[in-house]
Amino acid sequence: MTNPKREREPLGKFAPEGINDHILHVIFELAAELWVVKRRLAEVEGAAVAKGVIESPDAIVRDDSFQFDNTDRDAFVERIFGSLKDIGAKLDTQ
Amino acid sequence: MTAEVTGKVGPTGRGHIGTMAAMSSYDDESYLDFIEGLRMFALKSMNPASAKALKAEIAAGKIKSENPDISETRAVADPLPAVGIRNRMLRSTQGLNWDRIVDSYDKNRAALEQELTDAETAGPGSLRWDPDFKYPEYFTAVPYHRQPGSYHADPLGGHIYHYGTKVFHGGSNDKDEAKIERIYELPTPKDGKVEKFLDVACAIGSGTVAAKLRWPNAEIHGIELAAPLVRYAHMRATRLNADVKFSQQLAEKLDFADNTFDLIYMSTLLHEMPVAEGRKAIQEAKRVLRPGGLLVIHDMVQATTPLDIWSDYDRYFDHRFNNEPYAYKYVHSDIDSFLKAEFAEVENSVHGKTSTWNCHK
């Protein structure tokens, strides 16, 4: 079976008007974090291939001895999205 | 205790997480790791913030009744910014989760399907299933939980479900640890005898295999309606060398003789079917349970009086946007009265969002 047709998202159903500023802030933070990772990754991959540590980045096989700590991941999510939980019932539009 | 496959590259060429095949690429795995983290943020941070925002509105008199109709609750809750963001986050993480898993496993679809076929005649357990099985209409009406292909229409439904639930539960059951713990907590019949155990709607069979760990000398059965799930359950049990008898059956029409089992476990089934069908499944479990035997039902907690208004809203959100077509009616179905009428003795305990009923025949 090939992929079933993607379900259309109910856009405009959930988040009310007025949160765009918050969303933009999240996107800026996210883009900055993404660039940090891409820049570092390019350096590390280049060095690893040059030294023969890996043939290519996609050849990485999952190894239980090497696990990211969920604490780091969860802190990353909190740093980016944490402001959203403080919005509560009212938007500060001042 | 945990269950895992080690030392095998598996059908995706990237090893396993517990007993599930790893994603086909490192990037897919990282993407889903992030989705898992974002979902945990939605549950642990946005949920309390949303509940608090709604309770503030209730305290301000925006909802008058102690037992409001869901339309009244929605009129107040839907426009709240925190609630809207939470809803968006839950809806998006679920969709992104499924789409990436399907796309990733598709890259190795042939190998993944082949391992299912290869396992069919392998032991130590056994598998009975019918490629022409007629599913009830209520089951095929919607793709449950928005899983592409639902549980029955994609041969890789078991693989997809397994990785999907990993993300859904925040990695808390990657090596079956949560399921094993739950099975080890199950009470036994009053005479302590467990020689035949049945897991009704066993899905991918992690609870069923855990039952074999707990009762190694017992005859352990798992029944499941969806062919991809029961085939996956058997393949998984084979990998773990667990002697479990899996079969594709309707919970409401079992092919076992009367009074067969000492202990029957029915976990998170009833909210996935219409109330009338669920009651047939309970009666069918009672039929195959021996006198003095025990049926343990574990499922969503029932609605309270007065109503927990946030919980009711949350449940209805799942109904509207996560393809839980029967859950909302189930939580308002007063299962307690039905069980007390059917069984000699019923004990009920509530654990947060879930509830357990121990039904003695």
Side-chain angles (χ1 to χ4, degrees), chain B residues 23-295:
Chain B
M23 287 286 98
S24 294
S25 77
Y26 190 77
D27 286 356
D28 293 339
E29 185 177 305
S30 299
Y31 180 99
L32 288 163
D33 184 58
F34 175 80
I35 297 299
E36 183 180 301
L38 186 56
R39 176 172 162 77
M40 290 303 104
F41 176 79
L43 296 180
K44 292 177 183 173
S45 294
M46 293 308 300
N47 253 356
S50 301
K52 185 178 171 187
L54 178 59
K55 281 172 186 166
E57 297 297 285
I58 295 167
K62 299 281 179 65
I63 296 176
K64 307 287 185 203
S65 168
E66 279 194 332
N67 300 294
D69 181 80
I70 189 62
S71 59
E72 187 184 349
T73 303
R74 281 187 57 195
V76 175
D78 280 351
L80 296 174
V83 174
I85 293 165
R86 180 208 86 119
N87 290 352
R88 177 75 264 168
M89 212 171 261
L90 287 176
R91 169 80 185 187
S92 289
T93 49
Q94 186 78 320
L96 296 170
N97 179 22
W98 291 130
D99 289 349
R100 182 56 74 106
I101 292 168
V102 172
D103 287 348
S104 188
Y105 277 153
D106 255 347
K107 294 170 192 164
N108 287 288
R109 176 168 285 275
L112 289 159
E113 290 191 15
Q114 188 62 48
E115 70 171 358
L116 285 173
T117 303
D118 291 346
E120 286 198 343
T121 53
S126 61
L127 170 68
R128 285 191 287 135
W129 74 289
D130 176 4
D132 299 319
F133 192 87
K134 298 284 184 257
Y135 294 101
E137 278 185 25
Y138 75 79
F139 185 70
T140 55
V142 293
Y144 282 93
H145 311 137
R146 302 176 59 217
Q147 178 174 331
S150 198
Y151 298 158
H152 68 286
D154 184 336
L156 295 187
H159 294 79
I160 296 164
Y161 172 88
H162 197 182
Y163 211 103
T165 53
K166 165 198 165 32
V167 176
F168 190 85
H169 294 301
S172 61
N173 192 46
D174 281 359
K175 295 178 180 175
D176 290 3
E177 53 269 53
K179 273 286 184 186
I180 291 171
E181 186 179 344
R182 187 177 296 171
I183 291 296
Y184 272 74
E185 287 170 354
L186 285 182
T188 56
K190 288 183 177 174
D191 59 12
K193 191 182 99 174
V194 182
E195 293 177 355
K196 286 194 174 181
F197 173 94
L198 173 63
D199 188 0
V200 177
C202 66
I204 60 168
S206 45
T208 333
V209 169
K212 190 65 185 176
L213 279 177
R214 181 172 172 188
W215 295 288
N217 297 319
E219 188 175 301
I220 306 291
H221 291 257
I223 71 107
E224 167 56 48
L225 176 55
L229 297 191
V230 77
R231 293 180 75 207
Y232 186 86
H234 172 68
M235 178 193 71
R236 224 185 66 98
T238 302
R239 278 183 191 157
L240 296 169
N241 202 35
D243 183 1
V244 175
K245 299 176 190 304
F246 288 104
S247 55
Q248 184 184 23
Q249 296 191 46
L250 264 175
E252 54 270 42
K253 194 179 176 186
L254 300 171
D255 66 7
F256 301 113
D258 294 356
N259 309 321
T260 298
F261 294 98
D262 303 295
L263 179 57
I264 299 178
Y265 184 49
M266 184 183 284
S267 178
T268 57
L269 167 67
L270 297 174
H271 75 272
E272 306 287 22
M273 56 203 308
V275 170
E277 304 304 321
R279 294 190 171 187
K280 284 181 199 168
I282 292 168
Q283 288 170 327
E284 189 66 346
K286 180 183 168 189
R287 178 184 70 76
V288 301
L289 188 67
R290 54 108 169 152
L294 176 65
L295 166 66

Side-chain angles (χ1 to χ4, degrees), chain A residues 1 3 6 9 62 73 88, chain B residues 14 82 88 102-103 106:
Chain A
M1 177 181 155
N3 283 354
R6 299 285 193 243
E9 280 301 308
R62 194 173 204 287
R73 179 198 68 192
Chain B
R14 296 194 59 257
R88 177 75 264 168
V102 172
D103 287 348
D106 255 347

Side-chain angles (χ1 to χ4, degrees), chain A residues 1-17 19 22-23 30 41 45 57-64 66-70 73-74 76-91, chain B residues 4 13-18 22 26-27 29 33-34 36-38 40-41 45-46 49 53 57 62 78-85 87-89 91-92 99 102-103 106 109 113 146 148-149 153-155 170 175 317 321 323:
Chain A
M1 177 181 155
T2 55
N3 283 354
K5 192 176 175 184
R6 299 285 193 243
E7 197 178 348
R8 283 190 68 180
E9 280 301 308
L11 297 175
K13 283 269 189 186
F14 303 128
E17 293 297 323
I19 67 161
H22 291 277
I23 300 300
L30 187 60
L41 189 62
E45 283 180 1
D58 288 330
I60 300 170
V61 173
R62 194 173 204 287
D63 179 355
D64 272 347
F66 177 69
Q67 292 265 10
F68 280 107
D69 185 347
N70 284 353
R73 179 198 68 192
D74 294 345
F76 174 75
V77 172
E78 173 72 28
R79 191 161 63 249
I80 292 173
F81 297 99
S83 67
L84 295 176
K85 71 175 186 291
D86 301 323
I87 289 174
K90 301 269 189 306
L91 289 168
Chain B
E4 58 187 310
R14 296 194 59 257
H16 294 84
I17 301 173
Y26 190 77
D27 286 356
E29 185 177 305
D33 184 58
F34 175 80
E36 183 180 301
L38 186 56
M40 290 303 104
F41 176 79
S45 294
M46 293 308 300
E57 297 297 285
K62 299 281 179 65
D78 280 351
L80 296 174
V83 174
I85 293 165
N87 290 352
R88 177 75 264 168
M89 212 171 261
R91 169 80 185 187
S92 289
D99 289 349
V102 172
D103 287 348
D106 255 347
R109 176 168 285 275
E113 290 191 15
R146 302 176 59 217
D154 184 336
K175 295 178 180 175
F317 172 82
F321 292 112
N323 284 1

